Amino acid sequence: MNEKINKNKNRSNGTLTEQDLKNSLVYFDNLCPYSNTPLNEDNWHLEHIIPVIMGGTTDPWNCIAVCGPCNLSKGGKHLLDWWDKTHKPTDEDKLEKIFLYIIKALNKE
């Protein structure tokens, strides 16, 4: 887990720790917040909600664990641009949970 975090810290500034990432996994019930795919040690990717290419940092409020296919599909796109093209309006509850996670993480900083 630390290896993926450290790799991303080398690409951008940030304070994300292994415990922060574990907290995000618990918050999202060990499911990909984008697709509800079960996550485990082998299939998760570190996702920057605001991509590094758009100035996103490796901080707790901006990073969550997601499944590989979702992370690769989103790539460097803005979350809302990607979301609108890949999700149905009935998935708004997932997006709301993601935003609530961001707010919760920001309030801890």
Side-chain angles (χ1 to χ4, degrees):
M1 196 174 273
N2 271 333
E3 181 180 317
K4 290 182 185 180
I5 292 170
N6 290 334
K7 176 183 161 196
N8 281 282
K9 282 185 179 178
N10 288 335
R11 293 178 30 214
S12 71
N13 294 326
T15 62
L16 185 73
T17 66
E18 186 172 350
Q19 187 59 51
D20 294 325
L21 194 56
K22 286 179 182 178
N23 292 345
S24 82
L25 285 164
V26 169
Y27 181 85
F28 293 108
D29 301 318
N30 289 315
L31 299 173
C32 173
Y34 298 157
S35 67
N36 285 338
T37 300
L39 297 175
N40 60 51
E41 284 291 323
D42 298 323
N43 73 344
W44 70 274
H45 285 207
L46 183 63
E47 160 66 355
H48 289 81
I49 296 167
I50 299 173
V52 172
I53 196 167
M54 295 177 122
T57 57
T58 307
D59 286 305
W61 65 269
N62 193 44
C63 292
I64 53 177
V66 300
C67 69
C70 283
N71 191 45
L72 295 173
S73 169
K74 181 176 169 282
K77 298 176 189 86
H78 187 282
L79 173 62
L80 295 179
D81 292 337
W82 173 78
W83 191 272
D84 287 344
K85 291 179 181 143
T86 59
H87 289 80
K88 300 174 185 167
T90 54
D91 288 334
E92 286 181 7
D93 59 325
K94 290 182 201 170
L95 193 57
E96 181 179 358
K97 189 169 184 174
I98 293 164
F99 287 138
L100 290 173
Y101 175 79
I102 293 169
I103 292 167
K104 181 180 174 183
L106 281 168
N107 284 332
K108 287 185 177 181
E109 289 187 356

